[in-house]
Amino acid sequence: MEEEELEFVEELEAVLQLTPDVQLAIEQVFPSQDPLDRADFNAVEYINTLFPTEQSLANIDEVVNKIRLKIRRLDDNIRTVVRGQTNVGQDGRQALEEAQKAIQQLFGKIKDIKDKAEKSEQMVKEITRDIKQLDHAKRHLTTSITTLNHLHMLAGGVDSLEAMTRRRQYGEVANLLQGVMNVLEHFHKYMGIPQIRQLSERVKAAQTELGQQILADFEEAFPSQGTKRPGGPSNVLRDACLVANILDPRIKQEIIKKFIKQHLSEYLVLFQENQDVAWLDKIDRRYAWIKRQLVDYEEKYGRMFPHEWYMTERIAVEFCHVTRTELAKIMRSRAKEIEVKLLLFAIQRTTNFEGFLAKRFSGCTLTDGTLKKLESPPPSTNPFLEDEPTPEMEELVMEKGDLDQPKKPKAPDNPFHGIVSKCFEPHLYVYIESQDKNLGELIDRFVADFKAQGPPKPNTDEGGAVLPSCADLFVYYKKCMVQCSQLSTGEPMIALTTIFQKYLREYAWKILSGNLPKTTSSSGGLTISSLLKEKEGSEVAKFTLEELCLICSILSTAEYCLATTQQLEEKLKEKVDVSLIERINLTGEMDTFSTVISSSIQLLVQDLDAACDPALTAMSKMQWQNVEHVGDQSPYVTSVILHIKQNVPIIRDNLASTRKYFTQFCIKFANSFIPKFITHLFKCKPISMVGAEQLLLDTHSLKMVLLDLPSIGSQVVRKAPASYTKIVVKGMTRAEMILKVVMAPHEPLVVFVDNYIKLLTDCNTETFQKILDMKGLKRSEQSSMLELLRQRLPTPPSGPEGSSSLSLLAPTPEQESSRIRKLEKLIKKRL
C-alpha cells in the first residue's frame, strides 16, 4: 500500500509540473504569499521553517491541526468547483441548440424577404416596360425628324449652291457652302443610301466648279499677259477669296501663286541681267521698287485678300527668292568685276532690307526649306557680347575699357536673315582676301609707328601702359567679325578666323617679342675696393629705366592680348554655325602671348640677377679667414639691396595692373638669386669663425630684404604672397644652416656629422665636402669624415637612439656656445 501511495504521489507531482509561462500567469491572476503556492515548494524547508528548534516541537499538535484544517478547506473548495463543472456541459449544449434554432428562423425570414424583392422587381419591370418603349420611340422619332430636317437643308442647300454658283454670288456662297459641308458631315454613315450619295457628289461637283470658276475670274482680272484689268479689284473677287478659303487649299495656293507672279512680272523685266540697274552698284533700286509695290498693293488690293493670307509678306518673300536667284546669276557671269567696296555696299544694303522686312513682317509664311530659325544663344558674360552695331556704329572706336563692361544679351534672330544675302556667300573670298591685305598693312603700320615713336614713357603712377596698337588691332578684329557674321556664319567665318590667327602671331612676334630689349653679356667684375667706394645711385642697371618700362608695357600688352584673344574665341564660336564650332581654336595664339609674358618676366629677372652678380662675385673673393670682428652688413649686401631698390619699385609700379605677374617675377627672382647666392657661398673658403658669423649676419640681412621684396620702397606695405615667402624662407634658411654647420667645431666627428644631417634635410656627400672645404680642412681629414657620413646617412635623423647626438644641444666647447650667443644678440639688436 505504501508503495502504491508513493507511485501515486510521483505521478501526481509529474502531472502538476507546469511550464514557467503558465506558472507566471497563475501568479499574476492569483497572487499569494503562501509558501505552499510556490512552484519550487520544498517540504523539508517548509517543515524546518515551522520547527526551527527542538523546543518548537512542543506545539506540533497545534500545527498539525492547522494543516489538517487547511487541507479540509481545500478539499471543500475543490469539491464545490468539480460539482459546479458537471452542469456546465449541459447548459452549453442547450445554449447551442437555441442558437441553431435562431439561425434557422433568421434564414427563413431572409428567404421570405428575397422572394418579396424579386416579386417587386418583376412588378416594376412590367410597369416600366411601356415607358422604355415610349422613350426609344421618342429618341428614334427625334433622330428621324433631325435627319429629315438636315436632308431637307442639304437638298435645298445644294440647289441654292448650284444656282448661286452660276450667278457668281460668292458672298452668299461662302456662307452657304460652309453650312452645306457641315450638314453633309452628319450623313457620312448614310452614304450607302443612293440619294444621299448623289447629294454628296453634287456638292463635290459644285466645289470643283467653284474652284475652276474662281480661277477663271482671277485670270480674267489679272491676266498673265498684257496689262491689268482697269477698275482694280472688285467685291466679287473679294468674296471669291472667302470661298477659296473653304475649298481645296490648292485653289488658294494657285490664286496666290498667279497673283504674285503677275505682280512681280514687271520686276523681272526692269531688272533683267543685261540692264544697268541690275548690277550691284544700283541694288538700292531693287529694294526701292519692292517697297513702292508693297505700298501700291496695300492701297489697291489690301482689302481684296483675307488678312490671314498674309499677301503682303508673301509678295516680299517671293521677291527675295527671285532677287537672290537673279543676283547669284549676274554675279557668276561678272565675277571679275566684283570689288570689296562694291560687295560690302551690296551686302550692307541687302542686310538693311532684311532688317526692314523683319520689322514689318513676322516671317510666318517662310517654309522650313527656305530658312532655319536658330535658337537664341544663352546669355553670355563674354566682353565681346553686345548689340550688333548699325552702319553708323561700325565706325566708332572700341576702347579697352569697353571690353570689360557687361553687354546686353543678343536680340532674337532675324527670320529673314540670309533670305537674299545668302547669294553673296560664294563671293566672300574677295572680302577675306581684302581683310588679309588690310591686316598686313595694319601690322606694318604698327611696326613703323613703334619705331617712330619709340618706347612708351616711364609710368610709375598708374601701372604699365598697354600699347595703343593692341586696342586698335582688336577693334579692327571686332569690326571684321561683325561684318562677316552678317554676311555668313559658315566657311567664310572659318577663313576669317585663320586670318585672325595669322596676324595675332605676327603681332606677338613683330610688335611684342621683336621689341623686347636684347640682353648683352657683360663681364664686368666688381672688386672689394670698388664696393667700398660705391655710392648710392652710382650703379646703373643693365637695362635703362625706359627699357624696364618697355618690358613691363609689353608684358601688360601680352596679358591684355591673351585675355582678349580668349574672349575673341568665345565670340567667334557664338557667331559661327554649330557644326563648325570645333574648328574655332585660338589656343596656339594664346600660348604665343603666354610665351611673350614668360620671356618678359625672364628678362626682368635676368636683369636684376645680372646686376647682383658682381656683388656675389665680390663676396666669394673676400678673404673671410682674415675677418677679425663682426660689424654691420658687408658692402656686397649693400650693393645687392641697392640694385633691388632701384629695379623692383619701377617694375612693381609698371605692373600695378597685373599683380599676378609681378608676383611671378618675385618668385622667379628668388628661385634664381638664392641658389646662386648659395653657390657663391660655397666659394667663400677658407672661413674663420668670425668670418662665418659675419656671413651669417649678411645672410640674415639678405633674407629680410628678400622677404620685403614685393613691397620694398612702397608707401603701402602689403603682406608678401605665401608662395613667395615660403620659397625665400626655405632657400635662405638653408644658407643659414650651411653657415651654422661651418661655425660648428668638427671635433668630435660624430657630433659634427649628426649636426650636419640634422640641420640640412637635403644632406649629401657633395654638399658636406663643400662645407669641409669652407672650414679649410685638409683632404686627409675630410676622407674619414666623409666615410662617417656615409655610414650615418641611412639612420633616420629623428630616431630615438640618435636624438641625443643629433641635437644642437650636444656637448660643444664653451667658447663656441659663447660665440653663437653673441651673434644672436647682435642680430636681434640690429633688427
Side-chain angles (χ1 to χ4, degrees):
M1 291 295 293
E2 292 180 357
E3 291 179 357
E4 292 179 357
E5 290 179 358
L6 290 174
E7 291 177 359
F8 175 75
V9 170
E10 291 177 356
E11 292 177 359
L12 184 61
E13 289 179 352
V15 172
L16 293 178
Q17 290 294 331
L18 302 176
T19 62
D21 295 338
V22 175
Q23 187 66 37
L24 180 62
I26 294 174
E27 291 178 358
Q28 291 177 352
V29 176
F30 304 105
S32 174
Q33 300 296 331
D34 193 344
L36 295 174
D37 295 332
R38 295 178 59 183
D40 56 347
F41 174 73
N42 191 322
V44 176
E45 291 181 359
Y46 182 68
I47 293 173
N48 290 334
T49 304
L50 295 178
F51 305 105
T53 59
E54 293 182 1
Q55 289 77 10
S56 61
L57 294 175
N59 57 349
I60 187 172
D61 294 334
E62 182 180 354
V63 173
V64 170
N65 290 333
K66 288 182 180 181
I67 292 175
R68 287 177 178 174
L69 178 61
K70 192 171 185 179
I71 292 172
R72 193 179 301 115
R73 288 177 179 174
L74 288 173
D75 290 339
D76 292 341
N77 291 337
I78 292 171
R79 191 180 300 110
T80 303
V81 172
V82 171
R83 289 176 179 175
Q85 291 296 324
T86 56
N87 298 329
V88 170
Q90 184 177 358
D91 295 342
R93 284 191 296 273
Q94 184 178 357
L96 180 61
E97 292 175 358
E98 292 177 355
Q100 291 175 347
K101 291 179 180 179
I103 291 172
Q104 291 177 356
Q105 292 175 1
L106 181 61
F107 280 154
K109 291 180 180 180
I110 291 173
K111 187 176 180 182
D112 293 340
I113 294 172
K114 183 178 179 182
D115 294 340
K116 291 179 181 180
E118 291 176 353
K119 292 179 180 179
S120 299
E121 183 179 0
Q122 187 66 27
M123 188 181 299
V124 170
K125 286 182 179 179
E126 292 175 357
I127 294 173
T128 58
R129 183 181 297 114
D130 297 335
I131 298 175
K132 288 183 178 180
Q133 290 178 352
L134 291 174
D135 286 342
H136 288 304
K138 179 182 177 182
R139 188 180 302 109
H140 293 158
L141 182 60
T142 302
T143 303
S144 300
I145 293 172
T146 303
T147 304
L148 288 173
N149 286 336
H150 287 164
L151 181 61
H152 176 71
M153 293 169 58
L154 181 62
V158 171
D159 293 338
S160 301
L161 182 62
E162 292 173 344
M164 291 177 182
T165 300
R166 288 191 294 270
R167 292 193 297 269
R168 283 181 166 79
Q169 296 176 345
Y170 295 130
E172 291 78 3
V173 168
N175 297 325
L176 180 60
L177 180 60
Q178 186 64 52
V180 169
M181 294 178 66
N182 292 338
V183 172
L184 189 60
E185 291 179 359
H186 295 283
F187 291 95
H188 281 169
K189 55 185 176 181
Y190 304 118
M191 285 300 171
I193 302 173
Q195 292 81 357
I196 301 299
R197 186 167 60 251
Q198 183 180 2
L199 286 173
S200 175
E201 292 173 354
R202 288 175 62 189
V203 171
K204 292 180 180 179
Q207 288 178 325
T208 304
E209 183 181 355
L210 275 171
Q212 295 174 353
Q213 188 171 299
I214 290 172
L215 288 175
D217 291 343
F218 270 93
E219 182 65 27
E220 183 181 356
F222 306 103
S224 301
Q225 302 295 333
T227 59
K228 297 179 182 177
R229 177 175 156 183
S234 63
N235 293 332
V236 175
L237 295 180
R238 182 184 62 189
D239 295 336
C241 291
L242 298 177
V243 177
N245 258 342
I246 305 172
L247 297 175
D248 191 337
R250 288 178 293 183
I251 303 298
K252 170 185 170 182
Q253 296 297 332
E254 187 68 20
I255 293 172
I256 294 173
K257 181 179 179 181
K258 287 187 176 181
F259 179 82
I260 294 176
K261 182 178 180 181
Q262 191 275 338
H263 213 69
L264 295 178
S265 59
E266 180 185 353
Y267 172 71
L268 293 174
V269 174
L270 291 175
F271 294 91
Q272 286 183 2
E273 185 177 351
N274 56 358
Q275 300 294 326
D276 290 340
V277 293
W279 189 228
L280 300 181
D281 58 343
K282 296 181 178 60
I283 198 170
D284 280 342
R285 297 189 182 183
R286 294 177 181 266
Y287 305 134
W289 182 89
I290 189 60
K291 290 178 182 178
R292 290 195 303 270
Q293 291 298 315
L294 293 178
V295 172
D296 181 67
Y297 167 82
E298 291 289 348
E299 293 176 353
K300 293 183 178 180
Y301 308 104
R303 297 182 180 181
M304 187 176 75
F305 294 100
H307 175 71
E308 61 270 17
W309 284 22
Y310 301 103
M311 285 299 295
T312 309
E313 181 176 333
R314 290 180 186 275
I315 293 172
V317 170
E318 183 62 24
F319 166 82
C320 292
H321 295 330
V322 172
T323 302
R324 184 176 63 190
T325 304
E326 293 297 319
L327 287 176
K329 187 190 304 182
I330 194 172
M331 282 192 292
R332 280 196 302 270
S333 62
R334 302 173 62 178
K336 295 182 179 180
E337 301 178 30
I338 301 176
E339 298 178 353
V340 176
K341 291 184 179 179
L342 179 62
L343 181 65
L344 291 180
F345 168 79
I347 292 174
Q348 183 179 357
R349 294 297 185 267
T350 302
T351 53
N352 289 345
F353 175 70
E354 291 172 349
F356 163 77
L357 294 180
K359 293 178 181 178
R360 180 79 181 275
F361 306 116
S362 62
C364 59
T365 62
L366 297 172
T367 59
D368 293 338
T370 304
L371 288 173
K372 254 185 194 176
K373 296 179 71 175
L374 300 176
E375 297 181 358
S376 298
S380 173
T381 57
N382 184 0
F384 273 92
L385 186 60
E386 61 182 33
D387 291 338
E388 297 301 335
T390 60
E392 294 79 9
M393 292 175 60
E394 290 180 359
E395 302 300 327
L396 297 178
V397 177
M398 179 183 64
E399 299 294 339
K400 174 187 174 184
D402 293 340
L403 294 176
D404 301 327
Q405 297 176 357
K407 306 299 180 183
K408 300 178 183 177
K410 188 178 179 181
D413 289 326
N414 176 4
F416 294 92
H417 176 65
I419 192 171
V420 179
S421 58
K422 199 76 174 175
C423 66
F424 297 110
E425 186 167 331
H427 305 277
L428 286 179
Y429 68 90
V430 178
Y431 172 77
I432 301 299
E433 291 174 357
S434 172
Q435 297 308 320
D436 189 2
K437 179 181 177 183
N438 293 342
L439 282 169
E441 294 175 353
L442 188 64
I443 294 296
D444 293 339
R445 181 168 63 85
F446 289 161
V447 174
D449 291 347
F450 190 91
K451 292 180 179 178
Q453 298 174 3
K457 302 299 180 183
N459 185 2
T460 58
D461 297 328
E462 300 177 357
V466 175
L467 298 179
S469 59
C470 175
D472 295 341
L473 178 66
F474 283 101
V475 166
Y476 192 84
Y477 273 9
K478 180 187 175 185
K479 180 180 177 181
C480 294
M481 180 181 62
V482 171
Q483 283 182 344
C484 191
S485 64
Q486 291 175 347
L487 309 180
S488 172
T489 57
E491 287 295 334
M493 284 292 288
I494 301 299
L496 185 66
T497 302
T498 304
I499 300 298
F500 285 174
Q501 291 174 305
K502 173 184 175 182
Y503 288 102
L504 282 174
R505 292 192 296 269
E506 284 204 13
Y507 185 85
W509 295 333
K510 294 183 179 180
I511 308 298
L512 300 182
S513 296
N515 288 303
L516 283 174
K518 301 298 186 291
T519 57
T520 57
S521 58
S522 59
S523 58
L526 191 66
T527 61
I528 298 299
S529 59
S530 63
L531 283 172
L532 294 175
K533 296 177 182 179
E534 175 184 333
K535 296 182 180 179
E536 188 171 350
S538 61
E539 282 294 320
V540 180
K542 185 182 295 185
F543 288 145
T544 63
L545 176 60
E546 290 76 12
E547 289 174 331
L548 287 176
C549 293
L550 173 60
I551 295 173
C552 294
S553 181
I554 290 176
L555 192 155
S556 300
T557 304
E559 186 210 14
Y560 173 77
C561 291
L562 176 62
T564 314
T565 301
Q566 183 177 3
Q567 297 163 5
L568 175 64
E569 180 185 34
E570 294 172 0
K571 189 60 179 176
L572 286 169
K573 288 182 178 180
E574 291 178 12
K575 295 286 186 182
V576 79
D577 291 339
V578 177
S579 59
L580 302 175
I581 287 179
E582 294 182 356
R583 295 174 61 182
I584 303 292
N585 187 0
L586 303 183
T587 305
E589 288 65 41
M590 289 186 276
D591 291 343
T592 301
F593 289 117
S594 298
T595 303
V596 174
I597 293 173
S598 301
S599 300
S600 301
I601 295 175
Q602 191 61 34
L603 279 178
L604 296 173
V605 172
Q606 288 177 0
D607 176 60
L608 183 55
D609 207 15
C612 297
D613 279 346
L616 297 180
T617 303
M619 176 190 76
S620 62
K621 292 182 178 180
M622 287 182 64
Q623 302 297 323
W624 293 102
Q625 75 275 16
N626 297 331
V627 178
E628 298 178 354
H629 62 275
V630 178
D632 291 337
Q633 63 188 22
S634 302
Y636 74 88
V637 176
T638 305
S639 177
V640 170
I641 295 174
L642 177 62
H643 289 303
I644 290 176
K645 288 183 177 180
Q646 286 177 345
N647 281 30
V648 173
I650 297 173
I651 297 171
R652 180 182 60 242
D653 294 339
N654 281 275
L655 295 181
S657 59
T658 55
R659 294 292 301 179
K660 63 178 181 180
Y661 293 119
F662 175 68
T663 302
Q664 287 187 21
F665 160 75
C666 295
I667 291 174
K668 287 189 176 182
F669 174 71
N671 284 328
S672 173
F673 176 79
I674 295 176
K676 187 177 293 187
F677 172 75
I678 293 176
T679 301
H680 283 78
L681 196 63
F682 284 132
K683 296 179 181 179
C684 299
K685 55 187 178 181
I687 303 176
S688 65
M689 188 63 63
V690 178
E693 292 176 2
Q694 180 65 48
L695 273 173
L696 184 59
L697 176 63
D698 295 341
T699 302
H700 184 78
S701 299
L702 286 175
K703 179 180 179 182
M704 293 297 102
V705 171
L706 289 175
L707 288 174
D708 191 44
L709 180 71
S711 59
I712 193 168
S714 175
Q715 297 178 353
V716 180
V717 179
R718 293 184 180 179
K719 186 178 179 181
S723 57
Y724 170 76
T725 303
K726 182 178 179 181
I727 292 172
V728 172
V729 170
K730 181 179 179 181
M732 296 305 291
T733 300
R734 183 172 185 269
E736 292 175 340
M737 294 300 105
I738 290 173
L739 291 172
K740 287 186 178 181
V741 174
V742 172
M743 293 169 57
H746 57 278
E747 296 285 345
L749 298 181
V750 175
V751 175
F752 179 74
V753 171
D754 288 343
N755 281 339
Y756 167 74
I757 296 173
K758 175 68 176 180
L759 294 175
L760 294 176
T761 56
D762 57 341
C763 54
N764 52 61
T765 55
E766 183 180 356
T767 304
F768 187 65
Q769 188 167 4
K770 290 179 181 179
I771 292 176
L772 296 181
D773 290 339
M774 293 173 69
K775 291 178 69 67
L777 298 178
K778 298 179 180 180
R779 291 293 178 180
S780 57
E781 296 176 333
Q782 294 181 13
S783 58
S784 59
M785 301 178 74
L786 287 171
E787 185 62 30
L788 179 62
L789 174 66
R790 294 189 185 95
Q791 295 174 0
R792 301 189 66 83
L793 271 180
T795 305
S798 57
E801 296 180 359
S803 60
S804 59
S805 61
L806 296 179
S807 173
L808 289 176
L809 299 178
T812 56
E814 183 177 354
Q815 182 180 4
E816 174 61 22
S817 299
S818 175
R819 287 175 178 271
I820 294 177
R821 283 195 296 270
K822 288 180 181 179
L823 181 60
E824 290 177 351
K825 290 180 181 180
L826 181 60
I827 293 174
K828 291 179 180 178
K829 182 178 179 181
R830 287 181 51 79
L831 292 175

